[in-house]
Amino acid sequence: MKNVKKIINAQNVYLNGISGEKIRIAILDTGSSSHEDIRNQIVCFKDYVNYKEFMYDDNGHGTHICGIIAGKNGIAPNAEIISIKVLDEKGNGTANEMIYGLRWLKNNYERWKIRIIQFGGKF
């Protein structure tokens, strides 16, 4: 991440006080685990694959993306994550799972003050 931050000139952004604070990002992917680098950044979790009530990631990709975006050493370390599981343990998803996730976003983006949406995986 240090090399990436250098390439994209992130330090100049941070010096201007921009670090993702008050920014909420919805990530539609394989879910997210309670990894220590992102545990406090995830403010909401929805599962449209297995409909579990607890946060999990049976693939790892979604957790990895959450870390790149809002982890302690991520690009926007003070951003908050809304994790929406629409991809299975193989990283695949169906149109229905994506539609359910997008419908939830449409109905909740104002409530959760979501400003950015990130998609991952194969549909």
Side-chain angles (χ1 to χ4, degrees):
M1 284 307 299
K2 288 180 184 179
N3 289 340
V4 172
K5 286 182 177 185
K6 187 174 182 178
I7 291 168
I8 66 170
N9 227 358
Q11 192 60 36
N12 287 340
V13 175
Y14 300 149
L15 290 173
N16 287 308
I18 300 170
S19 62
E21 188 174 355
K22 298 184 182 178
I23 302 295
R24 286 194 170 165
I25 303 165
I27 299 176
L28 291 91
D29 208 299
T30 61
S32 55
S33 69
S34 185
H35 189 279
E36 65 184 60
D37 283 350
I38 57 171
R39 182 177 300 129
N40 296 325
Q41 305 312 105
I42 300 172
V43 297
C44 180
F45 176 81
K46 300 301 289 183
D47 177 9
Y48 289 104
V49 177
N50 299 308
Y51 296 92
K52 294 181 180 180
E53 295 291 324
F54 57 89
M55 183 169 49
Y56 73 104
D57 183 351
D58 50 9
N59 175 282
H61 187 266
T63 301
H64 181 76
I65 297 301
C66 289
I68 289 170
I69 293 171
K72 291 177 184 174
N73 294 307
I75 298 299
N78 292 320
E80 294 180 319
I81 299 295
I82 287 81
S83 177
I84 304 171
K85 182 173 178 60
V86 295
L87 303 176
D88 65 18
E89 71 279 355
K90 294 180 181 175
N92 298 317
T94 67
N96 280 341
E97 292 161 346
M98 179 56 81
I99 288 168
Y100 294 144
L102 290 172
R103 185 175 296 141
W104 184 90
L105 279 173
K106 178 183 176 280
N107 294 331
N108 290 281
Y109 79 95
E110 288 178 337
R111 172 182 173 217
W112 286 96
K113 298 177 176 57
I114 296 168
R115 299 204 27 215
I116 299 169
I117 300 171
Q118 189 278 328
F119 300 94
K122 300 177 260 180
F123 296 94

